[in-house]
Amino acid sequence: MRELVDLPVEECLRLLGQQYLGRLAFLRDGVPELLPVNYLFHEGSVVFRTDRGGLLDQVHGATVAFEVDEVDAGWQSGWSVVVHGKAQEVWDPDELERARELPLRPWAAGDRVHYVRVLPRAITGRRIA
């Protein structure tokens, strides 16, 4: 029988560091929105790139959730990690310089020169085994 198990934070952090695609959840005009973003887990935060307007305007300063997972449909197993926190554009010149050195290349078209980080307030995870 399969069991749903809570993951310790250390395991959640390890799994966040192994993936590169997740989903960002936020409110747009009071309606939940969920968008895929490629990311890196860097210095304890989820970091992704975006362009001006649109997503940046919606999430900067907002409380968001970020989810990453992996499933094996054949074995009906997998895991999920959720980061709850505040999204902030990276403004500090030193932090921005470090962010630009990351191997984080946007998959979507456009310049995507703005870096956003999700500062975790809570990180939780579960595994089906």
Side-chain angles (χ1 to χ4, degrees):
M1 179 170 198
R2 296 194 182 1
E3 183 179 0
L4 190 60
V5 178
D6 290 332
L7 298 175
V9 172
E10 297 79 22
E11 177 75 357
C12 293
L13 297 175
R14 186 184 70 75
L15 293 169
L16 278 166
Q18 291 181 346
Q19 299 296 312
Y20 50 87
L21 184 67
R23 285 161 292 286
L24 184 71
F26 59 97
L27 292 177
R28 183 189 308 249
D29 300 323
V31 177
E33 184 81 34
L34 190 64
L35 296 177
V37 295
N38 66 300
Y39 77 98
L40 284 177
F41 190 64
H42 178 71
E43 296 180 351
S45 296
V46 171
V47 180
F48 62 93
R49 292 174 60 174
T50 189
D51 51 11
R52 185 176 15 182
L55 179 60
L56 181 61
D57 291 346
Q58 292 293 317
V59 301
H60 178 65
T63 297
V64 300
F66 180 83
E67 189 266 349
V68 62
D69 60 21
E70 185 173 271
V71 297
D72 184 324
W75 289 100
Q76 297 179 343
S77 64
W79 56 263
S80 173
V81 172
V82 178
V83 176
H84 291 94
K86 187 172 190 174
Q88 294 181 337
E89 183 174 5
V90 177
W91 291 99
D92 178 80
D94 293 333
E95 291 179 34
L96 192 53
E97 183 178 332
R98 285 194 306 275
R100 288 179 177 143
E101 293 173 356
L102 294 173
L104 178 59
R105 305 292 172 256
W107 291 6
D111 291 333
R112 310 227 179 257
V113 297
H114 297 271
Y115 290 78
V116 177
R117 66 178 167 209
V118 178
L119 299 169
R121 289 188 184 147
I123 299 175
T124 60
R126 300 192 310 177
R127 179 184 306 277
I128 297 175

